[in-house]
Amino acid sequence: MSSRPKSLLAPGHRGCAGCCDAMAAKFTLMASGEDCIVINPTGCLEVMTTPYPESSWEVPWIHSLFENTAAVASGIEAALKAKGKIGKTKIIAMGGDGSTLDIGIRSISGAFERGHDFTYVCIDNEAYMNTGVQRSGATPFNASTTTSPAGKVSFGNQRPKKNMPAIIAAHGSPYIATTSVAYPKDMIRKVKMANETVGPTYIHAHAPCTTGWGFDTSKTVEIGKLAVETALWPMFEMEDGEITKVRKIKNPKPVEDYLKMQRRFKHLFTMKGGEEEIKKIQVIADKNVVDFGL
Amino acid sequence: MTATNSVNMEKMVVVEGSYSVAHSVKVCRPNVISAYPITPQTHIVEDLSQFMADGEIPDCEYLNVESEFSAISALVGASAAGARTYSATTSQGLELMHEVLFNVSGMRLPVVMTVVNRAVSAPINIWNDHQDSISQRDTGWIQLYAEDTQEIADMTAQAFKIAEDKDVLLPAMICMDGFILSHVYEPVVLLEQDLVDQYLPPFEPEFLLDTKNPMSFGAFADPSTYTEFRYLQEKAMDVALFKIEDAADEFNKLFGRYYGGLIEEYNTEDADIIIMAMGSIIGTLKDVIDAHRTKGEKIGLLKVRSFRPFPKLAIKKVIKDAKMIVVLDKNISIGLNEGALFTETKSCLYNTNIDVPVAGYMIGHGGRDIPVSTIEKIIDEAKNAMKTGIDIESQFTDVREELL
């Protein structure tokens, strides 16, 4: 018998090979067990796991809309509370970066401010993948997407990623953690920690998307690790607004190692001036090293 | 059937319309209330908040959400988790909910929501008309319209009963005219807890988010299955046609009050002219009709309580022998130059052998007063139309030419 927890995301879903969403969902369920209710916004995860009349979810699951996941979660929490069932069943909202950082931020802000006892997991693959790789507020600097394409006069997306963990921290969340699907143990531990913490908690999981980022389907984990090893994705935990734990990197790798494996950054290696742009990305990584004490 | 309301002076108390609604919600024992304040809905949610603060609604959570969008979204989750759910809103708030309204009905969640009818912006206007709820007519919600504060109080309990019926499972919007009903103080009988408990069984849905029996809600339906979801919603509306009547009849038996089921008839049996309308204007119309009846003029009133499901058969049955129908609408479909009740009444007469002229008047937009003189003018025009035919099929009423 395996000691690994049972997977509550049944096989047969329509996710791509190497899909980061499926990994994130699986790890979240491993951490949460059978006694949980999952809320998804519209997005890849919802579409690929519930083609009616099939469902991959072996736990109660609901999808309402794109921008209201946290509100739906708060209603579920209120219902369980009203019926005297709160405390045991974990309530887990799980949305992509678009629904979390952009269109759903109002309902997230409301739910965190109200202090519902639930966990929000953001699966951050840094663009609107379900609709065809359009730019979101989580798209990194200089990434080429279908709505921020690199072109003769553009290196792609010109804005840095929105700092969602800081926004959640400003709401007074008792537990916030960044993680990555490339580190299953880390992610499972942090989701467990979030589940066990009373109040609204937040997990921000970096999630390399084979289709949207343009890399071989076997490389999801490798790319995810490189994001961490280059210091472009700092992994930390915050309790009551203070950073309490940081995953240290001994010798940060140059950002080129991460960028060169992805189609979305390919233009930086082919366009005139690309080298300078890569340097700007290195500055972001270097700043992370200092800011988070990586 | 005509309304039968015994006046019970001993039980009557003078309260604000909003309070009568809040009280009804309380005695219906909701589990989750979720709302965002907006004029003129505020007094309902304030009263409910006070009930919560005083511990008068057991086993209930009240969510002060950050928008109407989240108010109704929270109820999606709460209802799916097996809670009896309630919200109240109006105007801009209801329009902000638009996307979610489809979602609630599509998932067959029997949320009950009071709409305190108000005009929509621009120009911004906080007064009453029906544009807000009428603009949501295709969202798959039952829509009932109340005439006075007692009716909206009673309709609240009826709405839960209808919506939660296992053969219906549709959300219900119960509509009351902003300020005219929400802020008026009238004598009403507040619903008695023991009678409501007899009337309204606990909400025990067959399908819910339950960790012991996991189910998926809100799946992705492709072209091979989507149609059937819509078809079944329509079938549920057919069932609701009967359940709305049943709910009114059962209510009458227990509480001794009846305001009509799908419709209410007032002096329609022998009427040459029948006026059709919804909401608080009914009170004015009844007075006007009484005056005409004393003069021996055969004028009647058809009050439409249920706009969704639209009671085609009931309406046709009442108006088939009349000589002239006048429809009053506090809304407009801009570009069609018609109000919704007018359009839909006309449409249900087509392809039938009923041949009665129907004239539409758009009236009371943005809370413009509807004096008896305006109704009299409309009746005069209807009398002429009976003889000479309809001059103008649908028109605005009381337009101030000097402002144009």
Side-chain angles (χ1 to χ4, degrees), chain A residues 35 50-52 55 58-65 67-68 71-72 75-76 78-79 81-83 89 106-107 110 114 116, chain B residues 31-32 59 61 63-67 69-70 73-74 77-78 80 82 99 103 107 209-211 214-220:
Chain A
D35 197 3
T50 63
Y52 180 85
S55 174
E58 310 240 22
V59 296
W61 176 92
I62 185 168
H63 153 249
S64 173
L65 297 165
E67 68 276 50
N68 65 354
V72 175
I76 292 170
K81 233 186 213 172
K83 290 176 159 285
T89 301
R106 173 169 68 194
S107 81
R114 291 191 298 275
H116 295 282
Chain B
N31 300 120
V32 178
D59 305 322
E61 289 291 312
L63 302 184
N64 272 308
V65 289
E66 80 293 340
S67 67
F69 199 92
S70 284
S73 295
E99 185 192 8
N103 207 249
M107 274 199 261
L209 295 168
D210 179 6
T211 53
M215 290 183 191
S216 292
F217 279 67
F220 176 75

Side-chain angles (χ1 to χ4, degrees), chain B residues 266-267 270 285-300 372 376 379 383:
Chain B
Y266 190 76
N267 290 324
D270 61 343
L285 293 171
K286 282 178 177 171
D287 282 351
V288 171
I289 284 165
D290 286 348
H292 281 266
R293 282 279 167 180
T294 57
K295 288 190 275 179
E297 292 174 3
K298 292 178 176 175
I299 301 180
V372 168
E376 293 293 1
I379 290 173
K383 285 179 189 166

Side-chain angles (χ1 to χ4, degrees), chain B residues 352-392:
Chain B
T352 70
N353 52 17
I354 302 170
D355 186 15
V356 54
V358 186
Y361 290 85
M362 291 167 288
I363 196 165
H365 292 273
R368 176 148 315 165
D369 191 28
I370 305 169
V372 168
S373 57
T374 296
I375 306 294
E376 293 293 1
K377 197 171 133 255
I378 289 169
I379 290 173
D380 283 345
E381 287 180 11
K383 285 179 189 166
N384 288 334
M386 262 199 322
K387 293 175 206 148
T388 59
I390 292 174
D391 185 19
I392 304 169

